[in-house]
Amino acid sequence: MKKNILITGGAGFIGSHVVRLFVKKYSDYQIVNLDALTYAGNLENLKEIENAPNYVFEKGDITDEKFVPALFAKYNFDGVIHLAAESHVDRSITDPMAFIKTNVFGTVNLLNAAKDAWKGNFEGKRFYHISTDEVYGALENDGTFFVETTKYAPHSPYSASKASSDHFVRAYHDTYGLPVVVSNCSNNYGANHFPEKLIPLAINNIKHKKPIPIYGKGENVRDWLWVNDHARAIDIIFHNGKDGQTYNIGGNNEWTNIDLIRMLCKIMDKKLGREQGESAKLITFVTDRAGHDLRYAIDSSKLQRELGWKPSLQFEEGLEKTVDWYLENEQWLDNVINGAYQQYYQQQYANR
């Protein structure tokens, strides 16, 4: 059945993987990618599908109260997959208002547009909100996990803004009957990741023999999810998830930051033909981040049990694939580092 699907933030890291998956898999869907093309949005991520007949790009801001409803009227959307967000914790510490604007106000603006466009006729409609495990706060190293019913306890402006947006999504379901699903994911890694984040930053710094900054003692633990597995989970939840439900998505791959970077150094030494141990000398411990959560770990058994999803890769294999992609796509990385992609697209869309 022909459907029009809005994917917000589709030029970003996770969003671009979701857009490519949907465009390739669902030829009977028209996929509309809405992205503001801020620093994290890069249409280079979508080169392989940019001319596909079932793909449309719209440059715009989810906080625009006139533009978003007009977009719903133009395309008559059957579904929304909402990924657009400010997502870097360090940036949220220095500029929390930007996170409140995009993550809270932008989400509510989309909810209002969907509510008004669908007018209570929710048959075949779905609003899917993608969130983060950081809304749950932090875990001790005691073997416990975040589950869908874990109490929210955000510790950074970023996680607080995402927690607020989650609450609004659920409130619109309870108040207006809007057909929503929510998922909370662990740390993603893979191709097209903006190089301010730990893994691509470390890959680039190792390549150029620059220091690899590690917060504190590197003891913080994260559960790493391959972005392709996340995109598959989003596909499954969007089509088969139950209205009003939350699904946790995790990779079952817990690593301390220091152990992750040491393994990455070994992989990079092998790939670059360097003597083993050479890249590890670049590790540099820096002052810890304010409010740095000790450990995140996702229990994704509900998603696996009810919808049949499971991660396809162990971290070592996924990390090696990720390294290979960055080494094979040096031009993409260089363009992101020097900002060339931003200048190009700002000029191209200046009058649109």
Side-chain angles (χ1 to χ4, degrees):
M1 182 175 135
K2 181 72 175 177
K3 288 190 174 184
N4 295 329
I5 308 299
L6 173 65
I7 300 179
T8 70
F13 169 43
I14 300 171
S16 62
H17 284 268
V18 176
V19 167
R20 290 198 301 269
L21 173 62
F22 272 66
V23 168
K24 291 177 181 179
K25 185 174 180 179
Y26 299 105
S27 59
D28 55 340
Y29 288 7
Q30 181 176 47
I31 304 302
V32 179
N33 171 16
L34 171 61
D35 200 290
L37 296 183
T38 60
Y39 77 96
N42 185 357
L43 291 178
E44 290 292 319
N45 298 342
L46 298 163
K47 276 292 186 182
E48 63 183 293
I49 54 93
E50 65 180 358
N51 295 317
N54 62 330
Y55 171 71
V56 177
F57 173 70
E58 291 277 359
K59 183 179 185 298
D61 191 330
I62 62 171
T63 67
D64 190 323
E65 293 180 81
K66 294 182 178 179
F67 175 78
V68 171
L71 202 65
F72 272 76
K74 179 179 179 180
Y75 291 103
N76 192 26
F77 294 120
D78 299 286
V80 178
I81 301 176
H82 176 35
L83 292 124
E86 294 283 353
S87 65
H88 195 239
V89 174
D90 286 351
R91 289 177 182 262
S92 81
I93 293 171
T94 57
D95 185 13
M97 289 303 296
F99 285 68
I100 295 168
K101 181 181 179 184
T102 298
N103 298 352
V104 183
F105 183 81
T107 298
V108 174
N109 196 35
L110 285 164
L111 288 165
N112 281 331
K115 174 178 69 69
D116 294 344
W118 295 340
K119 296 181 172 65
N121 180 17
F122 298 140
E123 183 69 30
K125 303 296 194 292
R126 168 145 286 174
F127 189 106
Y128 180 5
H129 175 65
I130 285 84
S131 188
T132 171
D133 59 359
E134 295 192 40
V135 298
Y136 296 126
L139 295 167
E140 298 296 329
N141 284 321
D142 56 3
T144 56
F145 294 87
F146 295 136
V147 294
E148 286 80 2
T149 55
T150 298
K151 183 180 178 181
Y152 275 29
H155 292 152
S156 70
Y158 162 60
S159 57
S161 69
K162 290 298 290 184
S164 178
S165 66
D166 293 4
H167 289 319
F168 271 107
V169 172
R170 295 189 180 103
Y172 271 60
H173 172 263
D174 295 346
T175 303
Y176 306 109
L178 202 70
V180 309
V181 285
V182 176
S183 62
N184 298 79
C185 70
S186 58
N187 280 36
N188 280 223
Y189 72 99
N192 303 110
H193 205 175
F194 192 80
E196 68 182 357
K197 300 299 180 80
L198 179 61
I199 291 176
L201 173 68
I203 290 172
N204 188 60
N205 284 15
I206 291 169
K207 187 175 73 170
H208 295 290
K209 297 186 176 182
K210 295 167 61 178
I212 309 166
I214 303 294
Y215 283 126
K217 298 179 181 179
E219 296 174 342
N220 302 80
V221 178
R222 298 294 181 262
D223 172 17
W224 291 92
L225 172 66
W226 192 40
V227 68
N228 301 66
D229 283 337
H230 189 190
R232 285 194 305 106
I234 289 171
D235 178 17
I236 292 168
I237 293 168
F238 179 75
H239 288 98
N240 301 317
K242 295 179 181 178
D243 283 345
Q245 291 293 301
T246 299
Y247 299 90
N248 279 351
I249 312 172
N252 298 332
N253 286 304
E254 288 187 60
W255 290 80
T256 63
N257 287 343
I258 187 61
D259 287 343
L260 182 159
I261 293 300
R262 284 171 178 157
M263 182 169 66
L264 183 59
C265 287
K266 291 179 181 179
I267 294 172
M268 290 290 288
D269 283 341
K270 181 178 70 173
K271 300 288 184 181
L272 297 173
R274 295 177 182 171
E275 182 179 346
Q276 280 296 323
E278 182 177 345
S279 296
K281 296 175 183 177
L282 300 170
I283 294 173
T284 305
F285 294 100
V286 299
T287 303
D288 206 356
R289 167 193 286 162
H292 199 180
D293 292 334
L294 175 63
R295 174 176 169 257
Y296 303 145
I298 283 276
D299 178 351
S300 60
S301 59
K302 176 181 176 180
L303 176 60
Q304 297 186 43
R305 181 180 64 255
E306 295 186 6
L307 301 184
W309 174 90
K310 62 180 181 179
S312 67
L313 290 180
Q314 288 302 307
F315 187 56
E316 296 91 330
E317 181 184 357
L319 191 58
E320 189 151 350
K321 285 179 177 287
T322 301
V323 168
D324 287 340
W325 187 88
Y326 279 98
L327 294 180
E328 292 165 5
N329 291 271
E330 292 185 353
Q331 188 62 53
W332 180 93
L333 187 57
D334 290 343
N335 285 343
V336 172
I337 295 294
N338 63 32
Y341 74 104
Q342 275 192 297
Q343 297 168 17
Y344 174 76
Y345 290 117
Q346 283 173 356
Q347 292 171 0
Q348 185 174 5
Y349 289 95
N351 298 316
R352 299 192 186 184

